[in-house]
Amino acid sequence: MSDAIFDSKFVKAVEEIDFPSDKWRYLLSANNMNDNSIGQQLQKCGFAVKEHVDRINGQTTDLLMETYLQGSENAEAALAALQIRTSKSDKDKVIKLIDSDISNERALAVKVLTYRLGESFQSEIVPKLYELSKKEQECSVLEALCYAMYHLGADEKVSHLKHLVNNSSSDVRFALAACFFGTDEPDGINCLVSLSRDEVPEVRNWAVTALGQSLKYMDDPNTIKKTFTERLDDEERSIRLEALSALSKLQDKDEKALNILISELNSDPVPLIAIESAIMFASPSLNSTLENLLQRTEVDDPNISDIKQAINACLPL
């Protein structure tokens, strides 16, 4: 039955498209396929996109839930079709799954509810997610809870999820770092500091990035400077760059950080985050390196204006 609804060639074509966010939700919620970048790409491949989209969106909630729970190649499309539904009857069916004894059903419920916006809806759903977080043990559900509480802007997410900081699943720890992105709550910041030392590079990277966003909300951001200086020695370049970026926001011309930044500015290619860090550091010690970077950069390079801005910021007084 599911195969008649989800054409395998169409599903594969969508999955192969490079898109920065939830491609299926973007595609299935489009009002006009001609104004939808994914729809346009699929049309060029010869697909009757609207026909496929209408067929998927026209299925019953029960069938879409069954399709997702089967775990086939059609699962993501079915999930997206569920996420964009707004009727009370659809919502009530999903809410019932929060109390299911089957972890896959609870995970499905949380994922579907993640993207339902509106104050009245959130006032009903968020407390249910809080209750679930107190007793949930399955990693797939906990991961989904972290993302849901972040997207729904749950006010008490830190107090209900902070216990996950030492969870055995790196997927859960990564999701927790994403959930606490830019938090100003002490417990949330403490969790991110701990996650910045995680054994898994992806978790460390996201925790450092999240902490960098928290700086602007903190009364004394220098209290976590040590966290960033520690990560200057990280084996992963992306983490070192995020640490540099955070330190540049502190307006503290840390000598070690500046030396590492000079090395990055001498690399090829130079990442934009390094140029942006140079702007924030505004240190004359970077000026000659930036001048050299400008000389070896093509005039049509997209970063050329940022390089010039960095040079002006780092001019000797």
Side-chain angles (χ1 to χ4, degrees), residues 175-305:
L176 186 67
C179 183
F180 291 175
F181 192 89
T183 183
D184 61 351
E185 294 189 39
D187 284 344
I189 289 171
N190 288 338
C191 284
L192 290 175
V193 169
S194 177
L195 293 172
S196 74
R197 304 184 182 109
D198 197 273
E199 63 182 4
V200 177
E202 290 78 11
V203 177
R204 295 200 305 276
N205 183 73
W206 205 229
V208 173
T209 304
L211 278 173
Q213 290 300 309
S214 292
L215 291 175
K216 57 189 172 185
Y217 304 115
M218 298 178 63
D219 294 331
D220 185 8
N222 280 294
T223 57
I224 59 171
K225 177 186 174 182
K226 181 182 177 183
T227 299
F228 301 122
T229 56
E230 284 179 355
R231 298 277 60 83
L232 292 176
D233 295 319
D234 201 285
E235 61 188 20
E236 296 291 328
R237 184 189 189 196
S238 60
I239 299 174
R240 297 196 301 271
L241 285 167
E242 289 294 345
L244 279 173
S245 177
L247 288 167
S248 73
K249 296 173 185 176
L250 295 176
Q251 304 292 311
D252 183 342
K253 296 177 175 54
D254 182 277
E255 183 177 355
K256 181 177 181 179
L258 289 172
N259 287 335
I260 293 175
L261 181 54
I262 288 172
S263 295
E264 289 294 343
L265 295 171
N266 283 322
S267 67
D268 185 26
V270 177
L272 178 58
I273 190 173
I275 300 170
E276 292 173 337
S277 295
I279 295 171
M280 293 297 294
F281 272 119
S283 172
S285 66
L286 301 173
N287 191 265
S288 61
T289 305
L290 289 164
E291 289 283 5
N292 180 271
L293 174 59
L294 181 63
Q295 291 300 314
R296 69 178 198 268
T297 302
E298 299 292 335
V299 293
D300 59 349
D301 189 288
N303 294 337
I304 197 76
S305 62

Side-chain angles (χ1 to χ4, degrees), residues 5 13 23 26 34 39 49 78 102 112 174 198 215 238 268 281 290:
I5 300 163
K23 65 184 73 177
Y26 177 77
N34 294 322
V49 182
I102 302 172
V112 172
F174 181 93
D198 197 273
L215 291 175
S238 60
D268 185 26
F281 272 119
L290 289 164

Side-chain angles (χ1 to χ4, degrees), residues 58-214:
Q59 301 312 306
T60 66
T61 295
D62 289 336
L63 187 142
L64 290 171
M65 290 194 298
E66 178 185 344
T67 300
Y68 176 84
L69 293 170
Q70 287 173 348
S72 69
E73 63 180 8
N74 306 320
E76 291 304 313
L79 174 61
L82 289 167
Q83 288 173 332
I84 63 177
R85 300 197 166 190
T86 58
S87 75
K88 185 178 186 304
S89 60
D90 290 329
K91 180 190 70 174
D92 289 344
K93 285 183 178 180
V94 174
I95 289 176
K96 288 181 180 178
L97 295 183
I98 290 180
D99 298 319
S100 171
D101 292 331
I102 302 172
S103 62
N104 284 348
E105 293 185 351
R106 298 196 301 276
L108 170 60
V110 176
K111 289 178 180 179
V112 172
L113 298 172
T114 295
Y115 295 100
R116 292 183 175 277
L117 304 178
E119 186 175 341
S120 61
F121 176 80
Q122 292 184 42
S123 64
E124 177 182 359
I125 296 304
V126 171
K128 293 182 180 297
L129 298 183
Y130 289 157
E131 287 301 313
L132 181 60
S133 70
K134 294 177 182 178
K135 57 188 178 182
E136 187 59 59
Q137 298 294 320
E138 288 292 331
C139 292
S140 61
V141 185
L142 292 171
E143 180 184 2
L145 275 169
C146 289
Y147 289 122
M149 288 197 197
Y150 173 76
H151 284 291
L152 294 172
D155 293 334
E156 300 173 27
K157 59 181 178 289
V158 171
S159 62
H160 283 89
L161 297 175
K162 63 182 181 181
H163 65 284
L164 300 178
V165 68
N166 295 316
N167 191 274
S168 61
S169 168
S170 61
D171 289 337
V172 172
R173 300 196 304 275
F174 181 93
L176 186 67
C179 183
F180 291 175
F181 192 89
T183 183
D184 61 351
E185 294 189 39
D187 284 344
I189 289 171
N190 288 338
C191 284
L192 290 175
V193 169
S194 177
L195 293 172
S196 74
R197 304 184 182 109
D198 197 273
E199 63 182 4
V200 177
E202 290 78 11
V203 177
R204 295 200 305 276
N205 183 73
W206 205 229
V208 173
T209 304
L211 278 173
Q213 290 300 309
S214 292

